[in-house]
Amino acid sequence: MRTPFIAGNWKMNTTPTEAAGLAREIVSALEGVYNLEVAVAPPFTSLAAVGPVIRGTSIRLAAQDLHWEDHGPFTGGISHSMLEALGCVYVLVGHSERRIYFGETDHLVNRKIKAALRGGLRPILCVGEEEAERKGGRLREVLVRQVDRCLEDVSAGAAGRLAVAYEPVWAIGTGRAATLEDAVEAHQIIRHQLELLFGTQAAAPVRILYGGSVSPGNAAGFASQPEVDGVLVGGASLKVAEFAAIVRAGW
Ligand code: PEP
């Protein structure tokens, strides 16, 4: 029912020239892949270089962040319309690295989600618990709180443009991916909360991705779970062969 979605987050890597080269290699490695959606999220400064390389392919352009206002005196800020003008379709919002290193709160994430939706972007809301929260039995509480606060005042009509990435903080960049059971449990919690917020019908098209140390070795397992609609890939998305293997993992 939901088209599988694989997104690559390049984080703070690649100059424009490097990014265009990486995009060219990904385009050629993914030739013939049509049954799912793929997006790449280069740094802001490489969006203009990657856009023309993927134009006309099935790969979509994503940004890693955006500002919560439309324009104004926000030095260094990048607005939704600036991203749209560069051809961005998706934007990551609330990645745990933004929360940890840049102090982003659920409230700020909510404002960014609403800015993306005010424009023409499709936000990918990132949520996920820290290791101490999981060990303390607080998984459900944390996920419910993040989903509720980050999606406050988002209408059911806009839900179809939304994706959610479940990214346990302890799994990001550590090589310790969640087990299938843990990922499925978290995805079920998130889907249930989306249904409470938007209604079952409006929540149905929202894709829930897993993120955190996804690799060619574990991607097929995630692909085999009906609750997992795709993956958000960090480190492995910078390695063409690994990213292509994840995309071709049997979604
Ligand atoms: C991420 O940054 O969203 C991510 C999942 O990173 P990694 O795949 O490197 O764990």
Side-chain angles (χ1 to χ4, degrees):
M1 180 176 66
R2 290 179 286 270
T3 305
F5 183 27
I6 316 299
N9 174 12
W10 296 359
K11 310 196 187 195
M12 198 172 72
N13 296 290
T14 70
T15 62
T17 306
E18 290 164 350
L22 178 58
R24 266 191 291 275
E25 287 184 51
I26 290 175
V27 167
S28 101
L30 297 188
E31 227 165 275
V33 173
Y34 295 113
N35 56 336
L36 42 74
E37 209 175 351
V38 175
V40 292
F44 288 136
T45 46
S46 292
L47 289 169
V50 171
V53 177
I54 61 175
R55 195 166 298 139
T57 75
S58 55
I59 303 170
R60 302 279 166 257
L61 193 60
Q64 298 177 16
D65 183 34
L66 83 168
H67 199 275
W68 60 90
E69 291 290 351
D70 295 345
H71 51 77
F74 302 101
T75 302
I78 304 287
S79 72
H80 65 81
S81 53
M82 296 172 189
L83 299 176
E84 289 155 37
L86 289 173
C88 286
V89 176
Y90 290 97
V91 59
L92 301 177
V93 185
H95 190 282
S96 62
E97 287 157 8
R98 301 284 324 166
R99 294 174 188 258
I100 293 166
Y101 302 121
F102 299 88
E104 287 194 10
T105 60
D106 289 335
H107 175 67
L108 207 60
V109 172
N110 175 250
R111 294 183 70 184
K112 291 183 172 196
I113 293 274
K114 288 191 280 196
L117 292 171
R118 241 186 346 267
L121 296 173
R122 296 170 166 263
I124 304 171
L125 166 64
C126 302
V127 297
E129 82 288 0
E130 292 183 12
E131 185 153 38
E133 293 170 329
R134 171 171 280 272
K135 286 190 170 152
R138 296 177 52 213
L139 173 71
R140 178 178 300 274
E141 174 202 320
V142 170
L143 294 180
V144 165
R145 189 194 65 226
Q146 289 180 338
V147 169
D148 278 354
R149 289 191 183 164
C150 296
L151 297 179
E152 197 177 314
D153 295 329
V154 171
S155 70
R161 284 166 57 198
L162 190 72
V164 178
Y166 167 60
E167 298 211 305
V169 176
W170 47 270
I172 295 184
T174 60
R176 287 170 52 213
T179 63
L180 296 184
E181 294 71 23
D182 287 347
V184 165
E185 180 192 9
H187 283 223
Q188 285 169 339
I189 292 169
I190 293 167
R191 180 146 315 276
H192 183 245
Q193 207 55 28
L194 292 173
E195 289 173 352
L196 288 179
L197 276 181
F198 299 128
T200 308
Q201 210 179 333
V206 181
R207 289 173 293 190
I208 305 177
L209 317 181
Y210 167 76
S213 297
V214 174
S215 69
N218 59 29
F222 291 113
S224 71
Q225 303 300 310
E227 290 85 354
V228 180
D229 301 312
V231 280
L232 178 53
V233 187
S237 71
L238 292 163
K239 298 171 191 147
V240 177
E242 291 192 18
F243 189 58
I246 291 167
V247 171
R248 295 180 188 276
W251 299 94

